[in-house]
Amino acid sequence: MRQRVPTTVLCRRSLLFAAVLAASSLHAGVLHDFENVPLLTTFQDGGATIVSSGAVGMNGNALQLTYDLTGGSFAGIRLGVKGYDLVALGATGLRFQYRMTGPARQLEIELVDGDNAQDAGCDKAKAFFTPIADGVWRSITLSTASFSTITNSTWSLPGNGSFNNREISQFIFVVARGVGSDGTGSVFLDNFEFVNGGGNVVRSFETFSLPKNEVVYLEWSQNPGVPFPLSIEIDNTAPGASSGNQVGRVDYTLATGSDYGGFVRVLNANFLAEPMVRFGFNGTGGNNTVEVKLVDVDGTVYVKKVTDVTDTGGTWKTASIPVDQFSFNAVGSDALLNLRRVTAVEFVISRGEAKPGVLLLDTLESVPDIALEKSGVGNVLTQYSTPNNPFSPNGDGTKDTFAFNFTLSEAARVVLRVFNLQGVPIKTIDGGTQAAGGRAFSWDGVGDDGRLVANGLYFFVVEAEGAASGKDTVKQVVAVMR
């Protein structure tokens, strides 16, 4: 009888902690850098207290939370991440690059505030200018003072008549007919960024570097029969562009009945494109649990609890939490967490030790997940990776399927089985005997019953059995988040 190779079982990491040694090379979407105290709300139960203030951080300034849980069980803060806080950023202008072909037209930039999570019942401020349409790349800066406020009474709900520049939820780009002859043309766009009085960038918010289907864009025109399509293409001629630079392009047709059109760029945090929450923290005093909560556009809440972490002995640490480790906490209009439209992040300190303490937070950001890639797994299944985890099987073309890529050292029968957290079988994919080399399984989120599974965590088991080397087994968590 041939010798059996011991089964290899590997589990997905649940939480990553590290001392702060150097800046990460990962691209990050900074939600709050805490250089200034952000707009936030505090909450607590009966006897607890919490006060926010500024402090020295691991990089510049930090947000300090001074709390006391001796008389209560929890206290926390809610940080809006609907877009950008122009006051905290110190932004005095919006700068971008453009080049235009076709008849010269009026361009408008509109900023929408975050009065309402659904972006209805909000106010917007707009600025406009007449571009030079000669096909040459140019840079334009519009001062924040040049944006006039208008009440958004044409939407389903009126705004409150006061533009809130501390929570910008949408950016709208408009090509308008203005004066001049009818005609068609194209406007190319790159590098939208907020700048301070010295012209330095305080936050870049649109470089068109992501695929179009990973960002919330809304294309529109006055006449729906005459579209103003937005596309993303490579253009290395933009000022300062490197090879492979991507720009946005709006093709327009202006005539009677189609006087204006453009696109909306939603500015909520996008945890589908960057599915990991990362922040720095430093704590003294009571050793308590931190609950990190993600709140989406319709009020659904998902939570991750990290126990006994608030006393770090005064040492700065970094927490990185993949969104597939968050679990359902509270229902909004539905129970599905909209990863593209996260409007708030909450930090709740819940009692472990009934003591007061101080917790500092710095650089809250979304970052690309670290794709799990493992080599040296076993004798038959020698390496594997799971690039789309979590995945979002909603049919929009972005991360619709979960992929398990693997390498076999010899021909083997390979089977993938998916279970819920209670161990109930959900899906079986029998790949039969496969030849040695690189192979892949994919799962579209549909169970053996033919129905799409619910949001949540599942685990899968892959078994690869070869004639010569025995069986290898991999077990890992996979998250479904639509």
Side-chain angles (χ1 to χ4, degrees):
M1 180 180 295
R2 59 189 172 87
Q3 184 178 3
R4 306 297 292 181
V5 177
T7 298
T8 302
V9 179
L10 297 168
C11 297
R12 180 173 173 82
R13 77 261 178 259
S14 60
L15 187 63
L16 305 177
F17 282 106
V20 179
L21 300 176
S24 170
S25 60
L26 291 173
H27 168 70
V30 178
L31 307 179
H32 289 283
D33 58 16
F34 303 118
E35 289 307 297
N36 297 280
V37 177
L39 185 67
L40 57 83
T41 57
T42 60
F43 52 88
Q44 58 277 319
D45 69 349
T49 62
I50 188 167
V51 177
S52 64
S53 59
V56 176
M58 63 179 185
N59 295 305
N61 295 330
L63 178 67
Q64 177 173 304
L65 304 176
T66 304
Y67 63 90
D68 190 340
L69 300 181
T70 55
S73 60
F74 71 86
I77 62 167
R78 181 185 179 100
L79 289 163
V81 291
K82 298 176 192 174
Y84 299 103
D85 183 339
L86 301 188
V87 175
L89 289 174
T92 62
L94 184 154
R95 182 171 65 199
F96 64 96
Q97 297 168 340
Y98 79 92
R99 71 179 177 93
M100 198 168 191
T101 62
R105 296 303 183 198
Q106 186 181 73
L107 299 183
E108 293 183 16
I109 304 296
E110 300 179 359
L111 301 177
V112 181
D113 70 13
D115 290 342
N116 182 285
Q118 298 278 7
D119 300 327
C122 299
D123 299 295
K124 62 182 179 181
K126 66 177 182 178
F128 59 89
F129 73 100
T130 300
I132 300 173
D134 57 3
V136 176
W137 277 104
R138 301 178 186 278
S139 178
I140 181 73
T141 300
L142 303 173
S143 71
T144 53
S146 67
F147 284 79
S148 60
T149 303
I150 61 174
T151 300
N152 199 349
S153 58
T154 59
W155 290 6
S156 58
L157 296 170
N160 60 18
S162 177
F163 183 72
N164 178 8
N165 62 1
R166 301 211 64 179
E167 286 186 345
I168 308 299
S169 65
Q170 293 184 359
F171 158 81
I172 304 176
F173 181 84
V174 185
V175 184
R177 188 179 184 196
V179 296
S181 59
D182 297 341
T184 62
S186 299
V187 58
F188 299 81
L189 305 165
D190 204 4
N191 297 329
F192 283 90
E193 51 202 15
F194 290 112
V195 296
N196 61 20
N200 298 313
V201 179
V202 293
R203 189 62 49 82
S204 175
F205 67 90
E206 180 58 277
T207 63
F208 301 101
S209 59
L210 292 173
K212 186 178 175 182
N213 59 2
E214 288 194 13
V215 181
V216 183
Y217 293 113
L218 305 173
E219 298 161 86
W220 60 277
S221 66
Q222 179 192 23
N223 179 359
V226 182
F228 284 57
L230 169 69
S231 58
I232 296 177
E233 60 186 53
I234 293 177
D235 187 336
N236 299 326
T237 66
S242 57
S243 177
N245 178 65
Q246 296 186 158
V247 302
R249 170 178 172 170
V250 177
D251 296 317
Y252 60 86
T253 299
L254 295 169
T256 302
S258 59
D259 287 343
Y260 54 86
F263 69 92
V264 180
R265 167 68 154 93
V266 175
L267 298 178
N268 301 118
N270 186 343
F271 285 106
L272 182 62
E274 297 178 324
M276 185 182 288
V277 182
R278 185 169 66 189
F279 57 91
F281 68 102
N282 182 343
T284 57
N287 205 17
N288 299 294
T289 294
V290 173
E291 300 177 15
V292 184
K293 296 183 177 182
L294 303 179
V295 186
D296 76 3
V297 69
D298 66 16
T300 301
V301 182
Y302 274 53
V303 63
K304 174 64 180 179
K305 295 183 180 181
V306 188
T307 58
D308 302 329
V309 295
T310 59
D311 184 7
T312 68
T315 300
W316 277 101
K317 296 185 177 182
T318 298
S320 298
I321 311 175
V323 296
D324 62 18
Q325 298 301 309
F326 286 77
S327 57
F328 174 76
N329 180 249
V331 68
S333 298
D334 56 43
L336 305 179
L337 184 67
N338 186 338
L339 290 175
R340 292 180 177 176
R341 302 295 306 277
V342 173
T343 62
V345 176
E346 294 182 357
F347 288 88
V348 184
I349 305 168
S350 56
R351 187 164 65 187
E353 297 180 329
K355 295 180 180 179
V358 175
L359 179 66
L360 278 68
L361 300 174
D362 203 355
T363 316
L364 173 64
E365 54 196 349
S366 60
V367 297
D369 199 357
I370 301 171
L372 187 59
E373 204 168 309
K374 196 75 177 177
S375 59
V377 178
N379 290 353
V380 182
L381 199 159
T382 58
Q383 63 181 18
Y384 72 88
S385 65
T386 56
N388 285 353
N389 193 2
F391 75 111
S392 179
N394 56 13
D396 66 355
T398 302
K399 298 184 179 180
D400 281 330
T401 59
F402 168 70
F404 181 83
N405 304 326
F406 59 98
T407 301
L408 298 174
S409 64
E410 63 181 89
R413 185 189 176 195
V414 188
V415 180
L416 181 148
R417 295 181 177 89
V418 182
F419 303 84
N420 65 19
L421 295 184
Q422 288 72 47
V424 177
I426 300 296
K427 179 73 174 182
T428 297
I429 302 175
D430 190 338
T433 299
Q434 303 197 24
R439 298 290 179 262
F441 275 132
S442 65
W443 179 45
D444 59 5
V446 175
D448 285 330
D449 60 2
R451 295 185 297 180
L452 196 63
V453 300
N455 265 26
L457 296 179
Y458 299 83
F459 67 89
F460 68 87
V461 176
V462 175
E463 294 180 340
E465 184 169 8
S469 302
K471 181 192 294 185
D472 290 330
T473 301
V474 168
K475 179 180 178 182
Q476 186 186 323
V477 173
V478 58
V480 177
M481 302 184 110
R482 299 193 297 278

